Structure formats: C-alpha cells, structure tokens
Amino acid sequence: MGSLSIWHWIVVIAVVLLLFGRGKISDLMGDVAQGIKSFKKGLQDDEKTAEKSEPVKSIDHNATAGTAPNRTDVGSKAV
C-alpha cells in the first residue's frame, strides 16, 4: 500500500493533463528553460565584471605625514 503502482501513475498523469492541458505544460517548461538560460547568462556577466574591476587603491602614509600641519591640541580638553 505504501508504493504506487503503474495504474496510480497513469491516473495522476491523466489528471494533470486534464487540469493543465498539453499546451500549458509545454509553455511552462519553455519558461523554465528561459529562466535557466538567463540565470547562466547573469552568472557569466558577473564573472566578466569581476575581471574588469579596478585595482585596490592604497594610501601611502609616508607621503601624507610630511604635508599635514602639526597639531598640538590633539587630545587636550579645551573648554
């Protein structure tokens, strides 16, 4: 009783075909295929943009230290 026989599957398929019809099922499968294709295309586009990304910019601390004015009031509490 736990397993389904071939007759159970035939009845299930017949009910599905009656409810949805052959045209709707094929349209649905076509939409699923288009969704998968656009998903794969999106993944490829993401990989292309990742390759074209700009290099990481870093700050040279030695170059900016000499040009900054010396502040003597840092950390003091001026009221």
Side-chain angles (χ1 to χ4, degrees):
M1 185 136 184
S3 65
L4 297 177
S5 68
I6 189 70
W7 293 109
H8 290 107
W9 286 112
I10 291 173
V11 170
V12 169
I13 291 172
V15 170
V16 168
L17 285 176
L18 286 174
L19 290 177
F20 296 107
R22 284 182 37 201
K24 289 183 183 180
I25 292 176
S26 64
D27 291 343
L28 179 67
M29 289 294 125
D31 291 342
V32 169
Q34 286 178 347
I36 292 171
K37 286 179 184 177
S38 72
F39 179 73
K40 288 181 180 180
K41 184 178 179 182
L43 286 177
Q44 290 175 353
D45 290 344
D46 287 343
E47 290 175 2
K48 289 178 183 177
T49 57
E51 291 173 359
K52 293 180 181 179
S53 66
E54 296 180 12
V56 178
K57 296 179 181 177
S58 62
I59 300 173
D60 188 11
H61 295 288
N62 295 333
T64 58
T67 59
N70 293 334
R71 293 188 56 174
T72 58
D73 64 338
V74 175
S76 65
K77 294 182 180 180
V79 182

